[in-house]
Amino acid sequence: MSHFCGIDIGSTAIKIVIVDEKGEIEGQMVSASGSMFYKYAKESLGRLCESIGILPDQIDYIVSTGYGRKLFKEADETISEITANAIGARKAGEKFGLIRTIINIGGQDSKAIGLDEEGNVVNFAMNDRCAAGTGKFLDVAAAKLEIDVEELGEYHFKSTGTPLAINSTCAVFAESEIIGLLGNEHTKEDIVAGIHFSIAKRIIRLARRVGLEDVVYFDGGPALNAGLVAAIEDEMGKELAIPEYPQITTALGAALLAKDAYAMERD
Ligand code: ADP
């Protein structure tokens, strides 16, 4: 049996997917990137292999992608996260129909990718200069509010008032804005909803630059936040397609590419 691995070394999290020769997922793992990307990526790969009963040496081909992709020396190939994301979305989003737009929010960047009817990337827009509208922004806000990022969705749906406007376009200033809102006795719920709508507005503005053609697929860690999903859908006026495991889409794309690259090498 053959095994192919995609490893997405993101700024915040390392995502690894191993697929078999049919492209079906055998195992997946999400772990923190921390400060030693290579060391943690290698350790995570070891743990994932152990969990599915194989040795890392039994993997036939590895493709790395993401911010830290060049650091993973064992990779047979590296690819851009845009390409990997598009390939992964086509597979993970099969049940939603033809995906024409991908919205990805990562730890430190956000992007929108436009695809043609064959699933090829035709254009993309990216914000990687500013933390506003990224997972980092949500992490900082949650820490200030003394809640976990996993709880943001819950807080969002408990908001009773009109979502508060978060006007700061910079994460650092947004932090002091949040402190000010708390000082004025606004509830955490209303602040969380305000943060989600402010991110939603930004990401929709970015996505409009590539066109917002249906089906719109949303992935990256923040796609696990149901409150943010609801805010984006509200701003966009239509539903998003979200896979069961949105954080691993790009790693899945890299694993599928590893499978195809291996087959081509042996032809
Ligand atoms: P990157 O590829 O840049 O490392 P990810 O796509 O892995 O980024 O996303 C990381 C972000 O996802 C974190 O900053 C965090 O805000 C968010 N996140 C991760 N897990 C959850 C969760 N269970 N609920 C809400 N947000 C989450």
Side-chain angles (χ1 to χ4, degrees), residues 8-15 30-33 37 66-67 81 104-111 134-140 142 148-153 196 219-226 228 246-248 250:
D8 172 14
I9 306 184
S11 61
T12 307
I14 296 165
K15 281 77 61 177
V30 178
S31 56
S33 301
F37 287 9
Y67 178 78
E81 57 257 47
N104 171 279
I105 304 186
Q108 289 183 20
D109 60 19
S110 46
K111 46 188 168 308
T134 68
K136 181 79 188 163
F137 189 90
L138 287 161
D139 297 345
V140 167
D148 295 329
V149 276
E150 290 81 8
E151 295 177 289
L152 287 169
H196 288 158
D219 67 12
L224 290 162
N225 174 345
L228 179 62
Q247 204 170 2
I248 61 148
T250 302

mmCIF file of all heavy atoms in Angstrom, residues 8-15 30-33 37 66-67 81 104-111 134-140 142 148-153 196 219-226 228 246-248 250, ligand 1:
data_model
loop_
_atom_site.group_PDB
_atom_site.id
_atom_site.type_symbol
_atom_site.label_atom_id
_atom_site.label_comp_id
_atom_site.label_asym_id
_atom_site.label_seq_id
_atom_site.Cartn_x
_atom_site.Cartn_y
_atom_site.Cartn_z
ATOM 1 N N ASP A 8 1.270 21.206 5.556
ATOM 2 C CA ASP A 8 1.046 22.650 5.416
ATOM 3 C C ASP A 8 1.578 23.327 6.679
ATOM 4 O O ASP A 8 0.965 23.242 7.745
ATOM 5 C CB ASP A 8 -0.474 22.885 5.236
ATOM 6 C CG ASP A 8 -0.857 24.358 5.278
ATOM 7 O OD1 ASP A 8 0.033 25.210 5.181
ATOM 8 O OD2 ASP A 8 -2.070 24.638 5.403
ATOM 9 N N ILE A 9 2.749 23.951 6.531
ATOM 10 C CA ILE A 9 3.362 24.601 7.698
ATOM 11 C C ILE A 9 2.926 26.063 7.706
ATOM 12 O O ILE A 9 3.489 26.906 7.004
ATOM 13 C CB ILE A 9 4.901 24.445 7.677
ATOM 14 C CG1 ILE A 9 5.253 22.947 7.541
ATOM 15 C CG2 ILE A 9 5.510 25.051 8.938
ATOM 16 C CD1 ILE A 9 6.723 22.615 7.603
ATOM 17 N N GLY A 10 1.870 26.334 8.449
ATOM 18 C CA GLY A 10 1.316 27.687 8.518
ATOM 19 C C GLY A 10 1.994 28.513 9.603
ATOM 20 O O GLY A 10 2.777 27.989 10.399
ATOM 21 N N SER A 11 1.672 29.795 9.629
ATOM 22 C CA SER A 11 2.279 30.680 10.625
ATOM 23 C C SER A 11 1.820 30.317 12.031
ATOM 24 O O SER A 11 2.530 30.545 13.003
ATOM 25 C CB SER A 11 1.888 32.122 10.321
ATOM 26 O OG SER A 11 0.479 32.253 10.381
ATOM 27 N N THR A 12 0.652 29.708 12.133
ATOM 28 C CA THR A 12 0.078 29.406 13.448
ATOM 29 C C THR A 12 -0.026 27.911 13.720
ATOM 30 O O THR A 12 0.223 27.454 14.825
ATOM 31 C CB THR A 12 -1.339 30.041 13.538
ATOM 32 O OG1 THR A 12 -1.208 31.417 13.191
ATOM 33 C CG2 THR A 12 -1.927 29.913 14.920
ATOM 34 N N ALA A 13 -0.396 27.158 12.685
ATOM 35 C CA ALA A 13 -0.602 25.727 12.885
ATOM 36 C C ALA A 13 0.007 24.903 11.752
ATOM 37 O O ALA A 13 0.059 25.348 10.606
ATOM 38 C CB ALA A 13 -2.100 25.443 12.994
ATOM 39 N N ILE A 14 0.458 23.696 12.134
ATOM 40 C CA ILE A 14 0.979 22.737 11.148
ATOM 41 C C ILE A 14 -0.152 21.751 10.869
ATOM 42 O O ILE A 14 -0.747 21.209 11.802
ATOM 43 C CB ILE A 14 2.199 21.973 11.729
ATOM 44 C CG1 ILE A 14 3.351 22.934 12.001
ATOM 45 C CG2 ILE A 14 2.639 20.851 10.780
ATOM 46 C CD1 ILE A 14 4.427 22.352 12.899
ATOM 47 N N LYS A 15 -0.485 21.588 9.594
ATOM 48 C CA LYS A 15 -1.540 20.657 9.247
ATOM 49 C C LYS A 15 -0.929 19.557 8.383
ATOM 50 O O LYS A 15 -0.206 19.863 7.423
ATOM 51 C CB LYS A 15 -2.653 21.350 8.444
ATOM 52 C CG LYS A 15 -3.625 22.165 9.281
ATOM 53 C CD LYS A 15 -3.127 23.492 9.751
ATOM 54 C CE LYS A 15 -2.764 24.438 8.657
ATOM 55 N NZ LYS A 15 -2.340 25.770 9.172
ATOM 56 N N VAL A 30 -3.567 18.364 13.264
ATOM 57 C CA VAL A 30 -3.343 19.813 13.384
ATOM 58 C C VAL A 30 -2.569 20.025 14.669
ATOM 59 O O VAL A 30 -2.949 19.511 15.716
ATOM 60 C CB VAL A 30 -4.689 20.584 13.460
ATOM 61 C CG1 VAL A 30 -4.436 22.085 13.624
ATOM 62 C CG2 VAL A 30 -5.555 20.329 12.232
ATOM 63 N N SER A 31 -1.439 20.727 14.603
ATOM 64 C CA SER A 31 -0.680 21.025 15.823
ATOM 65 C C SER A 31 -0.114 22.433 15.712
ATOM 66 O O SER A 31 -0.074 23.010 14.625
ATOM 67 C CB SER A 31 0.440 19.993 16.011
ATOM 68 O OG SER A 31 1.260 19.974 14.864
ATOM 69 N N ALA A 32 0.330 22.975 16.828
ATOM 70 C CA ALA A 32 0.820 24.361 16.824
ATOM 71 C C ALA A 32 2.172 24.465 16.126
ATOM 72 O O ALA A 32 3.020 23.586 16.267
ATOM 73 C CB ALA A 32 0.931 24.861 18.259
ATOM 74 N N SER A 33 2.363 25.546 15.360
ATOM 75 C CA SER A 33 3.650 25.753 14.670
ATOM 76 C C SER A 33 4.746 26.114 15.666
ATOM 77 O O SER A 33 5.900 25.717 15.504
ATOM 78 C CB SER A 33 3.561 26.890 13.651
ATOM 79 O OG SER A 33 2.587 26.622 12.701
ATOM 80 N N PHE A 37 9.494 25.474 13.621
ATOM 81 C CA PHE A 37 8.634 24.861 12.606
ATOM 82 C C PHE A 37 9.103 23.455 12.198
ATOM 83 O O PHE A 37 8.320 22.525 12.183
ATOM 84 C CB PHE A 37 8.615 25.720 11.335
ATOM 85 C CG PHE A 37 7.829 26.987 11.462
ATOM 86 C CD1 PHE A 37 7.349 27.425 12.677
ATOM 87 C CD2 PHE A 37 7.575 27.757 10.338
ATOM 88 C CE1 PHE A 37 6.628 28.603 12.781
ATOM 89 C CE2 PHE A 37 6.853 28.931 10.423
ATOM 90 C CZ PHE A 37 6.383 29.357 11.651
ATOM 91 N N GLY A 66 2.642 26.097 2.391
ATOM 92 C CA GLY A 66 2.456 27.036 3.503
ATOM 93 C C GLY A 66 3.694 27.879 3.746
ATOM 94 O O GLY A 66 4.752 27.681 3.145
ATOM 95 N N TYR A 67 3.500 28.795 4.650
ATOM 96 C CA TYR A 67 4.513 29.775 5.041
ATOM 97 C C TYR A 67 5.913 29.162 5.292
ATOM 98 O O TYR A 67 6.914 29.680 4.844
ATOM 99 C CB TYR A 67 3.958 30.421 6.309
ATOM 100 C CG TYR A 67 4.773 31.439 6.998
ATOM 101 C CD1 TYR A 67 4.837 32.735 6.505
ATOM 102 C CD2 TYR A 67 5.452 31.131 8.177
ATOM 103 C CE1 TYR A 67 5.570 33.701 7.172
ATOM 104 C CE2 TYR A 67 6.184 32.094 8.842
ATOM 105 C CZ TYR A 67 6.240 33.371 8.330
ATOM 106 O OH TYR A 67 6.963 34.313 8.987
ATOM 107 N N GLU A 81 0.727 27.713 -1.406
ATOM 108 C CA GLU A 81 -0.518 27.346 -0.713
ATOM 109 C C GLU A 81 -1.755 27.675 -1.544
ATOM 110 O O GLU A 81 -2.814 27.102 -1.329
ATOM 111 C CB GLU A 81 -0.610 27.972 0.682
ATOM 112 C CG GLU A 81 -0.519 29.455 0.745
ATOM 113 C CD GLU A 81 0.851 29.920 1.212
ATOM 114 O OE1 GLU A 81 1.862 29.407 0.679
ATOM 115 O OE2 GLU A 81 0.908 30.787 2.087
ATOM 116 N N ASN A 104 -10.055 32.139 2.255
ATOM 117 C CA ASN A 104 -9.225 31.468 3.257
ATOM 118 C C ASN A 104 -8.768 32.485 4.288
ATOM 119 O O ASN A 104 -8.200 33.516 3.935
ATOM 120 C CB ASN A 104 -8.006 30.816 2.580
ATOM 121 C CG ASN A 104 -6.995 30.288 3.592
ATOM 122 O OD1 ASN A 104 -6.178 31.032 4.125
ATOM 123 N ND2 ASN A 104 -7.049 29.022 3.871
ATOM 124 N N ILE A 105 -9.047 32.193 5.541
ATOM 125 C CA ILE A 105 -8.494 33.036 6.605
ATOM 126 C C ILE A 105 -7.523 32.168 7.400
ATOM 127 O O ILE A 105 -7.891 31.106 7.900
ATOM 128 C CB ILE A 105 -9.594 33.627 7.520
ATOM 129 C CG1 ILE A 105 -10.627 34.410 6.680
ATOM 130 C CG2 ILE A 105 -8.965 34.555 8.570
ATOM 131 C CD1 ILE A 105 -11.674 35.150 7.484
ATOM 132 N N GLY A 106 -6.278 32.603 7.439
ATOM 133 C CA GLY A 106 -5.255 31.854 8.154
ATOM 134 C C GLY A 106 -4.865 32.582 9.427
ATOM 135 O O GLY A 106 -5.552 33.516 9.861
ATOM 136 N N GLY A 107 -3.766 32.160 10.008
ATOM 137 C CA GLY A 107 -3.312 32.771 11.250
ATOM 138 C C GLY A 107 -2.874 34.210 11.036
ATOM 139 O O GLY A 107 -3.211 35.096 11.812
ATOM 140 N N GLN A 108 -2.113 34.442 9.956
ATOM 141 C CA GLN A 108 -1.583 35.794 9.770
ATOM 142 C C GLN A 108 -1.851 36.382 8.395
ATOM 143 O O GLN A 108 -1.222 37.360 8.010
ATOM 144 C CB GLN A 108 -0.080 35.798 10.066
ATOM 145 C CG GLN A 108 0.173 35.628 11.554
ATOM 146 C CD GLN A 108 1.625 35.704 11.934
ATOM 147 O OE1 GLN A 108 2.445 36.227 11.209
ATOM 148 N NE2 GLN A 108 1.947 35.153 13.094
ATOM 149 N N ASP A 109 -2.712 35.747 7.640
ATOM 150 C CA ASP A 109 -3.093 36.357 6.361
ATOM 151 C C ASP A 109 -4.511 35.931 5.999
ATOM 152 O O ASP A 109 -5.082 35.045 6.626
ATOM 153 C CB ASP A 109 -2.103 35.990 5.235
ATOM 154 C CG ASP A 109 -2.007 34.501 4.988
ATOM 155 O OD1 ASP A 109 -2.917 33.754 5.385
ATOM 156 O OD2 ASP A 109 -1.011 34.059 4.389
ATOM 157 N N SER A 110 -5.055 36.621 5.022
ATOM 158 C CA SER A 110 -6.353 36.181 4.506
ATOM 159 C C SER A 110 -6.289 36.330 2.991
ATOM 160 O O SER A 110 -5.581 37.209 2.477
ATOM 161 C CB SER A 110 -7.495 36.994 5.106
ATOM 162 O OG SER A 110 -7.199 38.361 5.077
ATOM 163 N N LYS A 111 -6.984 35.437 2.290
ATOM 164 C CA LYS A 111 -6.932 35.520 0.832
ATOM 165 C C LYS A 111 -8.231 35.064 0.193
ATOM 166 O O LYS A 111 -9.037 34.374 0.812
ATOM 167 C CB LYS A 111 -5.742 34.746 0.264
ATOM 168 C CG LYS A 111 -5.494 33.368 0.799
ATOM 169 C CD LYS A 111 -4.167 32.872 0.239
ATOM 170 C CE LYS A 111 -3.609 31.621 0.873
ATOM 171 N NZ LYS A 111 -3.464 31.516 2.276
ATOM 172 N N THR A 134 -7.575 38.552 10.262
ATOM 173 C CA THR A 134 -6.898 37.249 10.268
ATOM 174 C C THR A 134 -7.174 36.521 11.592
ATOM 175 O O THR A 134 -7.742 37.097 12.521
ATOM 176 C CB THR A 134 -5.374 37.405 10.134
ATOM 177 O OG1 THR A 134 -4.896 38.021 11.330
ATOM 178 C CG2 THR A 134 -4.968 38.256 8.948
ATOM 179 N N GLY A 135 -6.701 35.273 11.648
ATOM 180 C CA GLY A 135 -6.854 34.496 12.877
ATOM 181 C C GLY A 135 -6.161 35.172 14.049
ATOM 182 O O GLY A 135 -6.642 35.125 15.183
ATOM 183 N N LYS A 136 -5.038 35.829 13.763
ATOM 184 C CA LYS A 136 -4.283 36.508 14.823
ATOM 185 C C LYS A 136 -5.163 37.562 15.505
ATOM 186 O O LYS A 136 -5.151 37.706 16.736
ATOM 187 C CB LYS A 136 -3.056 37.184 14.187
ATOM 188 C CG LYS A 136 -2.158 37.906 15.140
ATOM 189 C CD LYS A 136 -1.283 36.906 15.850
ATOM 190 C CE LYS A 136 -0.491 37.542 16.962
ATOM 191 N NZ LYS A 136 0.031 36.537 17.870
ATOM 192 N N PHE A 137 -5.921 38.286 14.701
ATOM 193 C CA PHE A 137 -6.823 39.312 15.204
ATOM 194 C C PHE A 137 -7.831 38.675 16.170
ATOM 195 O O PHE A 137 -8.089 39.191 17.261
ATOM 196 C CB PHE A 137 -7.545 39.935 14.004
ATOM 197 C CG PHE A 137 -8.352 41.155 14.301
ATOM 198 C CD1 PHE A 137 -7.786 42.415 14.219
ATOM 199 C CD2 PHE A 137 -9.688 41.056 14.638
ATOM 200 C CE1 PHE A 137 -8.539 43.552 14.463
ATOM 201 C CE2 PHE A 137 -10.448 42.185 14.883
ATOM 202 C CZ PHE A 137 -9.872 43.436 14.798
ATOM 203 N N LEU A 138 -8.368 37.525 15.778
ATOM 204 C CA LEU A 138 -9.331 36.815 16.628
ATOM 205 C C LEU A 138 -8.665 36.297 17.899
ATOM 206 O O LEU A 138 -9.245 36.347 18.983
ATOM 207 C CB LEU A 138 -9.948 35.648 15.848
ATOM 208 C CG LEU A 138 -10.943 36.052 14.760
ATOM 209 C CD1 LEU A 138 -11.146 34.942 13.758
ATOM 210 C CD2 LEU A 138 -12.282 36.451 15.387
ATOM 211 N N ASP A 139 -7.417 35.808 17.766
ATOM 212 C CA ASP A 139 -6.683 35.293 18.933
ATOM 213 C C ASP A 139 -6.437 36.411 19.945
ATOM 214 O O ASP A 139 -6.630 36.236 21.146
ATOM 215 C CB ASP A 139 -5.332 34.690 18.501
ATOM 216 C CG ASP A 139 -5.490 33.486 17.579
ATOM 217 O OD1 ASP A 139 -6.607 32.948 17.501
ATOM 218 O OD2 ASP A 139 -4.501 33.094 16.938
ATOM 219 N N VAL A 140 -6.011 37.579 19.428
ATOM 220 C CA VAL A 140 -5.716 38.725 20.297
ATOM 221 C C VAL A 140 -7.002 39.199 20.979
ATOM 222 O O VAL A 140 -7.035 39.443 22.190
ATOM 223 C CB VAL A 140 -5.066 39.870 19.463
ATOM 224 C CG1 VAL A 140 -5.033 41.176 20.235
ATOM 225 C CG2 VAL A 140 -3.665 39.482 19.023
ATOM 226 N N ALA A 142 -9.804 37.486 21.514
ATOM 227 C CA ALA A 142 -10.294 36.496 22.480
ATOM 228 C C ALA A 142 -9.489 36.590 23.777
ATOM 229 O O ALA A 142 -10.056 36.551 24.877
ATOM 230 C CB ALA A 142 -10.196 35.089 21.881
ATOM 231 N N ASP A 148 -11.688 31.626 25.115
ATOM 232 C CA ASP A 148 -10.931 30.840 24.133
ATOM 233 C C ASP A 148 -11.458 31.113 22.730
ATOM 234 O O ASP A 148 -12.665 31.368 22.577
ATOM 235 C CB ASP A 148 -11.087 29.337 24.414
ATOM 236 C CG ASP A 148 -10.459 28.945 25.746
ATOM 237 O OD1 ASP A 148 -9.472 29.590 26.137
ATOM 238 O OD2 ASP A 148 -10.993 28.016 26.382
ATOM 239 N N VAL A 149 -10.588 31.006 21.735
ATOM 240 C CA VAL A 149 -11.078 31.219 20.355
ATOM 241 C C VAL A 149 -12.200 30.243 20.013
ATOM 242 O O VAL A 149 -13.112 30.581 19.256
ATOM 243 C CB VAL A 149 -9.974 31.101 19.261
ATOM 244 C CG1 VAL A 149 -9.222 32.381 19.073
ATOM 245 C CG2 VAL A 149 -9.090 29.939 19.453
ATOM 246 N N GLU A 150 -12.137 29.061 20.606
ATOM 247 C CA GLU A 150 -13.174 28.048 20.339
ATOM 248 C C GLU A 150 -14.545 28.507 20.844
ATOM 249 O O GLU A 150 -15.567 27.982 20.434
ATOM 250 C CB GLU A 150 -12.828 26.706 21.022
ATOM 251 C CG GLU A 150 -11.652 25.971 20.410
ATOM 252 C CD GLU A 150 -10.299 26.496 20.878
ATOM 253 O OE1 GLU A 150 -10.264 27.344 21.796
ATOM 254 O OE2 GLU A 150 -9.279 26.076 20.300
ATOM 255 N N GLU A 151 -14.568 29.489 21.752
ATOM 256 C CA GLU A 151 -15.837 29.955 22.333
ATOM 257 C C GLU A 151 -16.439 31.149 21.589
ATOM 258 O O GLU A 151 -17.543 31.590 21.897
ATOM 259 C CB GLU A 151 -15.618 30.403 23.782
ATOM 260 C CG GLU A 151 -15.210 29.294 24.742
ATOM 261 C CD GLU A 151 -14.962 29.882 26.126
ATOM 262 O OE1 GLU A 151 -13.946 30.597 26.309
ATOM 263 O OE2 GLU A 151 -15.781 29.629 27.021
ATOM 264 N N LEU A 152 -15.683 31.704 20.628
ATOM 265 C CA LEU A 152 -16.141 32.928 19.964
ATOM 266 C C LEU A 152 -17.514 32.759 19.309
ATOM 267 O O LEU A 152 -18.359 33.647 19.382
ATOM 268 C CB LEU A 152 -15.107 33.383 18.921
ATOM 269 C CG LEU A 152 -13.808 33.989 19.476
ATOM 270 C CD1 LEU A 152 -12.767 34.155 18.375
ATOM 271 C CD2 LEU A 152 -14.074 35.334 20.160
ATOM 272 N N GLY A 153 -17.730 31.597 18.682
ATOM 273 C CA GLY A 153 -18.998 31.343 18.003
ATOM 274 C C GLY A 153 -20.169 31.426 18.969
ATOM 275 O O GLY A 153 -21.182 32.088 18.707
ATOM 276 N N HIS A 196 -16.589 40.009 14.623
ATOM 277 C CA HIS A 196 -16.888 39.122 13.489
ATOM 278 C C HIS A 196 -17.400 39.909 12.281
ATOM 279 O O HIS A 196 -16.987 39.651 11.153
ATOM 280 C CB HIS A 196 -17.912 38.056 13.902
ATOM 281 C CG HIS A 196 -17.337 37.025 14.827
ATOM 282 N ND1 HIS A 196 -18.092 36.246 15.665
ATOM 283 C CD2 HIS A 196 -16.045 36.654 15.051
ATOM 284 C CE1 HIS A 196 -17.308 35.439 16.353
ATOM 285 N NE2 HIS A 196 -16.053 35.667 15.996
ATOM 286 N N ASP A 219 -12.396 28.313 4.066
ATOM 287 C CA ASP A 219 -11.559 27.401 4.849
ATOM 288 C C ASP A 219 -10.494 28.141 5.646
ATOM 289 O O ASP A 219 -10.469 29.371 5.689
ATOM 290 C CB ASP A 219 -10.950 26.306 3.952
ATOM 291 C CG ASP A 219 -9.946 26.857 2.943
ATOM 292 O OD1 ASP A 219 -9.534 28.017 3.055
ATOM 293 O OD2 ASP A 219 -9.582 26.109 2.023
ATOM 294 N N GLY A 220 -9.642 27.372 6.315
ATOM 295 C CA GLY A 220 -8.684 27.923 7.277
ATOM 296 C C GLY A 220 -9.274 27.750 8.673
ATOM 297 O O GLY A 220 -10.479 27.520 8.818
ATOM 298 N N GLY A 221 -8.426 27.857 9.689
ATOM 299 C CA GLY A 221 -8.878 27.640 11.071
ATOM 300 C C GLY A 221 -10.096 28.459 11.475
ATOM 301 O O GLY A 221 -11.035 27.936 12.092
ATOM 302 N N PRO A 222 -10.150 29.762 11.131
ATOM 303 C CA PRO A 222 -11.301 30.558 11.549
ATOM 304 C C PRO A 222 -12.640 30.109 10.953
ATOM 305 O O PRO A 222 -13.691 30.539 11.417
ATOM 306 C CB PRO A 222 -10.918 31.983 11.097
ATOM 307 C CG PRO A 222 -9.424 31.980 11.204
ATOM 308 C CD PRO A 222 -9.044 30.617 10.682
ATOM 309 N N ALA A 223 -12.606 29.232 9.942
ATOM 310 C CA ALA A 223 -13.865 28.708 9.396
ATOM 311 C C ALA A 223 -14.533 27.760 10.404
ATOM 312 O O ALA A 223 -15.676 27.347 10.217
ATOM 313 C CB ALA A 223 -13.624 28.003 8.066
ATOM 314 N N LEU A 224 -13.802 27.412 11.480
ATOM 315 C CA LEU A 224 -14.398 26.591 12.551
ATOM 316 C C LEU A 224 -15.254 27.435 13.492
ATOM 317 O O LEU A 224 -15.926 26.912 14.366
ATOM 318 C CB LEU A 224 -13.277 25.913 13.367
ATOM 319 C CG LEU A 224 -12.496 24.817 12.650
ATOM 320 C CD1 LEU A 224 -11.174 24.539 13.354
ATOM 321 C CD2 LEU A 224 -13.331 23.535 12.580
ATOM 322 N N ASN A 225 -15.187 28.743 13.310
ATOM 323 C CA ASN A 225 -15.909 29.679 14.164
ATOM 324 C C ASN A 225 -17.286 29.991 13.528
ATOM 325 O O ASN A 225 -17.385 30.759 12.570
ATOM 326 C CB ASN A 225 -15.037 30.946 14.296
ATOM 327 C CG ASN A 225 -15.703 32.071 15.041
ATOM 328 O OD1 ASN A 225 -16.904 32.071 15.250
ATOM 329 N ND2 ASN A 225 -14.896 33.045 15.430
ATOM 330 N N ALA A 226 -18.324 29.352 14.073
ATOM 331 C CA ALA A 226 -19.667 29.472 13.479
ATOM 332 C C ALA A 226 -20.189 30.911 13.497
ATOM 333 O O ALA A 226 -20.978 31.294 12.625
ATOM 334 C CB ALA A 226 -20.643 28.554 14.211
ATOM 335 N N LEU A 228 -18.337 33.668 13.083
ATOM 336 C CA LEU A 228 -17.693 34.361 11.960
ATOM 337 C C LEU A 228 -18.344 33.926 10.644
ATOM 338 O O LEU A 228 -18.598 34.752 9.754
ATOM 339 C CB LEU A 228 -16.181 34.068 11.951
ATOM 340 C CG LEU A 228 -15.392 34.704 10.818
ATOM 341 C CD1 LEU A 228 -15.449 36.232 10.876
ATOM 342 C CD2 LEU A 228 -13.933 34.242 10.839
ATOM 343 N N PRO A 246 -12.240 22.272 7.890
ATOM 344 C CA PRO A 246 -11.782 23.378 7.036
ATOM 345 C C PRO A 246 -10.297 23.719 7.175
ATOM 346 O O PRO A 246 -9.705 24.253 6.246
ATOM 347 C CB PRO A 246 -12.657 24.556 7.496
ATOM 348 C CG PRO A 246 -13.160 24.198 8.843
ATOM 349 C CD PRO A 246 -13.255 22.717 8.880
ATOM 350 N N GLN A 247 -9.715 23.381 8.316
ATOM 351 C CA GLN A 247 -8.323 23.793 8.541
ATOM 352 C C GLN A 247 -7.321 22.963 7.730
ATOM 353 O O GLN A 247 -6.193 23.397 7.511
ATOM 354 C CB GLN A 247 -7.999 23.701 10.045
ATOM 355 C CG GLN A 247 -6.866 24.601 10.479
ATOM 356 C CD GLN A 247 -6.732 24.668 11.984
ATOM 357 O OE1 GLN A 247 -7.466 24.016 12.716
ATOM 358 N NE2 GLN A 247 -5.771 25.440 12.469
ATOM 359 N N ILE A 248 -7.737 21.786 7.268
ATOM 360 C CA ILE A 248 -6.765 20.905 6.596
ATOM 361 C C ILE A 248 -6.864 20.911 5.067
ATOM 362 O O ILE A 248 -6.182 20.133 4.397
ATOM 363 C CB ILE A 248 -6.883 19.442 7.095
ATOM 364 C CG1 ILE A 248 -8.280 18.881 6.787
ATOM 365 C CG2 ILE A 248 -6.547 19.332 8.577
ATOM 366 C CD1 ILE A 248 -8.268 17.403 6.501
ATOM 367 N N THR A 250 -5.725 22.799 2.669
ATOM 368 C CA THR A 250 -4.478 23.026 1.926
ATOM 369 C C THR A 250 -3.532 21.828 2.051
ATOM 370 O O THR A 250 -2.887 21.422 1.081
ATOM 371 C CB THR A 250 -3.828 24.341 2.416
ATOM 372 O OG1 THR A 250 -4.785 25.386 2.202
ATOM 373 C CG2 THR A 250 -2.561 24.678 1.674
HETATM 374 P P1 ADP B 1 -2.137 29.168 9.337
HETATM 375 O O1 ADP B 1 -2.236 28.205 8.172
HETATM 376 O O2 ADP B 1 -1.780 30.559 8.904
HETATM 377 O O3 ADP B 1 -1.262 28.650 10.422
HETATM 378 P P2 ADP B 1 -4.804 28.284 10.165
HETATM 379 O O4 ADP B 1 -5.646 28.144 8.940
HETATM 380 O O5 ADP B 1 -4.289 27.028 10.756
HETATM 381 O O6 ADP B 1 -3.633 29.327 9.938
HETATM 382 O O7 ADP B 1 -5.691 29.082 11.229
HETATM 383 C C1 ADP B 1 -5.224 29.421 12.502
HETATM 384 C C2 ADP B 1 -6.286 30.224 13.215
HETATM 385 O O8 ADP B 1 -7.488 29.467 13.290
HETATM 386 C C3 ADP B 1 -5.965 30.572 14.664
HETATM 387 O O9 ADP B 1 -5.286 31.798 14.718
HETATM 388 C C4 ADP B 1 -7.340 30.629 15.327
HETATM 389 O O10 ADP B 1 -7.796 31.973 15.373
HETATM 390 C C5 ADP B 1 -8.256 29.847 14.398
HETATM 391 N N1 ADP B 1 -8.813 28.610 14.980
HETATM 392 C C6 ADP B 1 -8.204 27.405 15.079
HETATM 393 N N2 ADP B 1 -9.023 26.487 15.649
HETATM 394 C C7 ADP B 1 -10.185 27.132 15.919
HETATM 395 C C8 ADP B 1 -11.434 26.738 16.505
HETATM 396 N N3 ADP B 1 -11.648 25.492 16.945
HETATM 397 N N4 ADP B 1 -12.407 27.669 16.611
HETATM 398 C C9 ADP B 1 -12.199 28.929 16.170
HETATM 399 N N5 ADP B 1 -11.061 29.366 15.606
HETATM 400 C C10 ADP B 1 -10.055 28.482 15.472
#
